[in-house]
Amino acid sequence: MVLTVRTRDIPKIPGAVKWYRVSAYITGVLLLALVIEVIIKYTPLQLEMQLGNGPFFVPNGTAGEAPGTFNLSIAILIAHGWLYVLYLFTDFRLWSIMRWRPSRFLLIALGGIIPFMSFVVEHRMQQKAMDTYHELTAAQQREKEAAR
C-alpha cells in the first residue's frame, strides 16, 4: 500500500525541504572536514589541526595544548556528531511528512555518514519532495476550480 501526503501536511513540505537541505549541506561539509582530519591523523603524517597562535598543523596529540590555541580536530568530531543528530531529525521530519517507505529514510540517513553522499541524496530527495508538492498543489487548485 502506497501512502500519500496528508492534505494538512502539504503546506509543510517546502519548510521541511528547506531545513533538510540546510542540515544536509552542513553535515556534508563537516563530514568532508572529518575525512580530512582522519586522513592527516591516522596516516604517516600523524598531524592534528588547531586554531590560534602557532601553526595550523601540529603533531598528533598536541593540538590545543599551547596557550591561546584551540583543538580544531576534536571540534570537528563533536560538531559533526551533534549536527548529524540534527540531520537525522530533519530527515525524519521530511520522511514522515512525505510518507515515504522506510528504506528511503535509511538512504537519507546514510547520506550523513558516507562522504559526498549527503549532497547527492539531498538533491534527489529535494527534487522528489518538491515535485510531489507541485503536483499536489496543482491538484488542489484544479479541485477548487472544479468546485466553482
Side-chain angles (χ1 to χ4, degrees), residues 24-148:
Y25 280 111
I26 292 171
T27 301
V29 168
L30 281 172
L31 182 58
L32 293 176
L34 180 60
V35 167
I36 291 168
E37 192 273 328
V38 167
I39 289 170
I40 65 170
K41 186 172 185 175
Y42 295 108
T43 60
L45 295 172
Q46 295 286 309
L47 297 172
E48 284 186 315
M49 297 179 285
Q50 76 175 5
L51 294 175
N53 300 333
F56 183 73
F57 294 109
V58 294
N60 194 5
T62 61
E65 289 183 355
T69 61
F70 176 75
N71 189 336
L72 184 60
S73 295
I74 295 296
I76 290 170
L77 290 168
I78 293 170
H80 174 70
W82 282 107
L83 291 171
Y84 181 69
V85 173
L86 174 68
Y87 175 77
L88 287 177
F89 175 75
T90 61
D91 169 11
F92 181 77
R93 183 167 183 254
L94 179 63
W95 172 80
S96 62
I97 288 172
M98 298 305 296
R99 300 180 78 182
W100 286 329
R101 60 188 185 279
S103 60
R104 191 163 287 171
F105 174 81
L106 295 174
L107 175 68
I108 298 170
L110 284 174
I113 57 174
I114 299 174
F116 296 106
M117 189 171 166
S118 67
F119 304 112
V120 174
V121 171
E122 176 276 325
H123 177 73
R124 290 190 179 150
M125 294 305 134
Q126 176 265 341
Q127 195 170 29
K128 287 180 189 287
M130 292 311 291
D131 287 347
T132 302
Y133 172 73
H134 293 305
E135 290 170 11
L136 293 171
T137 53
Q140 282 182 332
Q141 189 63 31
R142 284 192 300 273
E143 288 175 9
K144 285 180 186 177
E145 290 173 3
R148 290 182 188 174

